[in-house]
Amino acid sequence: MPRTYCFVGPSVPDAAGLTAGSGVRLMPPVAAGDLLRLGARAGDTVGIVDGYFHQTGSVRHKEILALLGSGVRVLGAASMGALRAAELDRFGMAGVGGVYADYRDGKLEADDEVTLLHSPGTEGYRALSEPLVCMRATFAAAVRDGVCAAATADRLVGVLAGWPFGRRSYGALPEAGAEAGLDPSATGALQRYCLAHRRDPKREDALLLIDHLRTGGGPTSPAPGRVHRTAHLYAWQLAAQAVSHESPLALLRACRLFADDYPRRHRAAVLRTLAAHCDRECGRDATGATDAERALRHGAHHGLYRLPADPARLGFLPLWLTAAEAALPVTEQLLTALVRSCRHTLRLPWDEEALTLLDEPSVRDPALRFVRLAREVNDRALSGRRGPGGVEAIPRRRILDLLAERWHTPHDDLGLAALDRGFPSLDSAVTATRPLYLFARYNEGLAHLRTTVSEERGQADALGAG
């Protein structure tokens, strides 16, 4: 059954009573990582009202995009929710209320318009300052009611906007009026009005959002596009799951270097990605075509070669093939060269798709142990050394010897073998090996990894000879 969550705090401190029996799960103001820890699934709804700005990291845009990309509906209003909705509505987040609309339309710009100091949730989120957006609304009401002139309100807003948000309150209006050069009697009359007729657009918008959560209504928004899962997002996801504080790229590099089956996995993934790009960009009928066939077509569509392949026009192939591979059928030569070169020639992202490999615990957990053990070996072996040293002092020749041995590859072909493992160059592979070298060299029985691969390299062989 779909679940509904609402991150709310000082904007509606009585939210528990207002949502009782509705099925809405109340959460405290949102902070960085909270959405990733939520466990929301496709079909769920998340409402964001309040969120932290200063004492802890703010909720990241990429976290919201990740939810949207997984099929979760996300609405925002009033405070942090209004800010993020104004920034992400074009990507599928739905904004609710006037504060959101003002940010969207550029009438409000500063984040601290909606910020306030408040007591902890255990003390009911008691307000200790006044959000400037609420003071603007109250001043506007005072102008309409003839309590003050619009110019007076504007001068006060100008002063208050320059103050730290924690200093803003109706009790501080005399001080703000003096700084603005206003008549104390005019400021006093406005202060009395504000204390008796306080406007709270944040609460109004938050209540509207809560009503949408209770009823399942609310504004529609564009369908979210594909969310690029960057290394940063993956690291945040791992941290949210309390899986690892290791860099996900470190785990991926260990797999690339020391998983015997990684080239097979990399090849299948690249062909699959190129096939998907061709389907999306080239608009050709791909019915019944394999990933390899569609990937080859994509390279031809971008002018890398012509199909059907003419060996006389493929003079670039030796740059991307070993001497032994030159005897392969022409179609297989093209596929091998395409996999090795497409990161440069077709500008595919390096790590985004590869990181999905670490979603599988059977791959991620051994890689995590590998990296941790390598660090422990380095700490023991290199501690106490003086002067330049550490892993940077390991001779390049020794690293190349290790890679040639582990990859079962002649030294002359290591550059191509590095491309087969997803590295942009042999130099990058050498750099990635340095922190893992001592463990891999002197713990042969432990320093092996595998990736779980369902695709077989032979998929492309069904194409036959060119």
Side-chain angles (χ1 to χ4, degrees), residues 3 5 7 27 33-40 46 67:
R3 297 167 295 181
Y5 304 88
F7 289 87
M27 312 296 292
D34 286 348
L35 297 183
L36 302 178
R37 284 186 285 270
L38 196 59
V46 173
L67 283 190

Side-chain angles (χ1 to χ4, degrees), residues 141-444:
V143 172
R144 290 194 299 270
D145 290 345
V147 175
C148 73
T152 299
D154 290 343
R155 289 166 68 180
L156 282 171
V157 168
V159 169
L160 293 166
W163 286 7
F165 68 85
R167 187 181 171 191
R168 299 167 187 160
S169 70
Y170 294 122
L173 281 184
E175 184 180 356
E179 188 173 329
L182 298 175
D183 186 331
S185 62
T187 305
L190 177 60
Q191 181 184 38
R192 290 190 294 273
Y193 177 90
C194 292
L195 293 172
H197 301 89
R198 177 180 180 267
R199 298 294 193 271
D200 192 349
K202 289 182 60 179
R203 179 179 176 86
E204 294 169 5
D205 290 358
L207 292 177
L208 182 58
L209 182 143
I210 289 173
D211 185 60
H212 291 328
L213 296 180
R214 293 174 60 191
T215 64
T220 59
S221 54
R226 178 172 176 265
V227 177
H228 293 282
R229 195 183 192 194
T230 62
H232 293 296
L233 175 59
Y234 194 88
W236 299 332
Q237 290 171 328
L238 289 183
Q241 299 164 18
V243 170
S244 169
H245 293 293
E246 301 288 351
S247 162
L249 287 180
L251 308 188
L252 178 61
R253 291 173 191 136
C255 291
R256 283 175 165 165
L257 289 166
F258 297 109
D260 291 340
D261 58 350
Y262 193 89
R264 190 158 49 104
R265 189 264 173 201
H266 175 71
R267 177 187 171 101
V270 170
L271 293 179
R272 184 170 59 248
T273 300
L274 288 174
H277 278 246
C278 191
D279 294 346
R280 187 167 57 248
E281 298 172 8
C282 303
R284 308 295 177 89
D285 184 10
T287 304
T290 65
D291 287 349
E293 290 169 333
R294 287 145 58 212
L296 271 182
R297 292 177 192 172
H298 194 55
H301 296 158
H302 281 263
L304 301 184
Y305 43 78
R306 292 182 180 180
L307 294 178
D310 178 1
R313 302 173 67 96
L314 300 176
F316 63 90
L317 281 179
L319 297 173
W320 301 100
L321 300 174
T322 67
E325 290 167 343
L328 293 171
V330 172
T331 297
E332 178 58 29
Q333 291 184 44
L334 271 179
L335 284 169
T336 301
L338 182 62
V339 170
R340 289 172 177 167
S341 67
C342 67
R343 305 288 182 167
H344 301 286
T345 56
L346 298 179
R347 299 186 182 278
L348 264 65
W350 279 103
D351 298 312
E352 182 182 330
E353 195 281 337
L355 285 169
T356 62
L357 176 68
L358 301 179
D359 289 338
E360 184 61 47
S362 64
V363 177
R364 182 188 65 231
D365 294 346
L368 177 59
R369 288 192 295 272
F370 190 109
V371 171
R372 286 176 174 171
L373 287 171
R375 186 174 65 247
E376 292 174 5
V377 168
N378 291 343
D379 289 344
R380 290 196 301 269
L382 303 175
S383 63
R385 289 199 174 189
R386 297 181 179 179
V391 297
E392 298 304 321
I394 300 172
R396 178 184 174 88
R397 175 184 54 79
R398 292 188 181 180
I399 294 175
L400 295 178
D401 288 344
L402 174 65
L403 294 180
E405 175 186 329
R406 297 298 295 271
W407 294 355
H408 311 291
T409 301
H411 278 69
D412 288 346
D413 295 338
L414 284 176
L416 295 176
L419 298 178
D420 288 340
R421 291 175 174 269
F423 289 104
S425 66
L426 180 58
D427 285 344
S428 64
V430 169
T431 300
T433 305
R434 288 190 179 280
L436 306 174
Y437 174 84
L438 294 177
F439 175 65
R441 168 56 73 191
Y442 300 109
N443 296 273
E444 176 68 20

